[in-house]
Amino acid sequence: MKKIKIISALLFCFAWQYVFAYQGFNVNGGYIMPMEVSLYGGAAFSDTRKTWLGQDADFGGSGFVLGGTLMGLISNYFSVGFDFSYTNSGYGKSVALPQGDFDFRMEQYRPMLLTKTYLISPAISRFSLYVPLGAGLDFARVSQRQSGVEDKKADTLSGFALSAGLGAEFNFDNNTFISFEGRYNWAWYPGSNDYDLSSAKSAFAAVKLGIRFDSGYEFLY
């Protein structure tokens, strides 16, 4: 069902690209600010470890990420906007204790302000490179499993997040593009929680599909 919803959303976005026709970066001596909407998904990897009950525990292993962005290209080389992602890291390596084997999974929801700085601008090339940088919030849920049985009680955390990475983008035309993007993410959780987890690190590699259209806002120069 989730896959059907994701595919339907992508088809809807691509169908609307011809309604919001993207005319270009420079028009009539001015700059028409394009907007871009994209959806992405890929593989996620947790890099969060913590000493728990005297043992080194992995809080998460490998899983998946889903997300979307809405951005405005305020120049040929820079865009800014909003990004939201959901990461499920899966269960990490088990910790052997007398009570049984324990393992942990982290789920993270991240609303962020995101910028993209293009090293090669999409205004001059079908292929472009960019650096994504993000800052925002992180809402996490830690699930625990004992000897393969998940504990219904889960701990929730909230804090701040930063993200940095590298992306490669190919423009099919003025409206549609595909990107391959990797990011490394940091999160900090002030206050107390059941696992005394003050920070988390993770990474993901994702494929992004998107459209561009004119915002209607023009910069004159």
Side-chain angles (χ1 to χ4, degrees):
M1 182 61 71
K2 287 185 178 180
K3 291 182 179 179
I4 294 174
K5 290 181 179 179
I6 294 169
I7 293 172
S8 298
L10 285 172
L11 291 175
F12 178 81
C13 289
F14 277 90
W16 273 91
Q17 67 170 305
Y18 297 105
V19 177
F20 300 102
Y22 165 56
Q23 298 174 6
F25 283 78
N26 295 283
V27 180
N28 299 325
Y31 177 80
I32 301 293
M33 185 176 74
M35 298 291 292
E36 68 177 43
V37 178
S38 60
L39 299 174
Y40 59 86
F45 311 92
S46 174
D47 192 24
T48 303
R49 295 185 177 183
K50 178 76 173 61
T51 300
W52 183 73
L53 298 182
Q55 301 281 349
D56 289 334
D58 293 324
F59 283 79
S62 59
F64 66 91
V65 62
L66 296 173
T69 61
L70 173 64
M71 308 191 75
L73 286 78
I74 61 176
S75 78
N76 287 351
Y77 288 90
F78 185 76
S79 63
V80 62
F82 177 77
D83 177 269
F84 180 82
S85 64
Y86 165 74
T87 301
N88 186 324
S89 67
Y91 283 96
K93 184 179 178 181
S94 297
V95 177
L97 294 172
Q99 304 95 313
D101 293 336
F102 288 81
D103 49 9
F104 306 94
R105 176 185 68 186
M106 285 194 72
E107 298 173 88
Q108 293 168 286
Y109 301 83
R110 292 194 190 96
M112 307 185 81
L113 292 176
L114 185 72
T115 65
K116 289 166 61 176
T117 302
Y118 284 96
L119 307 178
I120 302 175
S121 172
I124 61 176
S125 174
R126 281 188 176 270
F127 175 78
S128 55
L129 295 173
Y130 63 89
V131 175
L133 297 173
L137 302 175
D138 187 291
F139 303 97
R141 182 177 186 270
V142 180
S143 301
Q144 174 181 301
R145 207 165 53 174
Q146 180 178 355
S147 301
V149 178
E150 185 169 339
D151 190 340
K152 293 183 179 180
K153 180 180 179 297
D155 198 15
T156 56
L157 305 82
S158 59
F160 307 99
L162 293 176
S163 179
L166 182 66
E169 186 174 286
F170 179 79
N171 296 275
F172 296 108
D173 52 33
N174 282 345
N175 296 101
T176 56
F177 64 89
I178 184 171
S179 300
F180 300 91
E181 184 176 308
R183 287 191 227 165
Y184 198 80
N185 307 285
W186 298 265
W188 294 269
Y189 308 112
S192 60
N193 54 74
D194 290 347
Y195 301 102
D196 196 25
L197 197 64
S198 60
S199 63
K201 296 180 289 184
S202 63
F204 70 73
V207 177
K208 178 183 291 186
L209 295 174
I211 61 171
R212 291 197 179 97
F213 55 90
D214 286 339
S215 66
Y217 187 81
E218 182 176 3
F219 297 94
L220 298 177
Y221 55 84

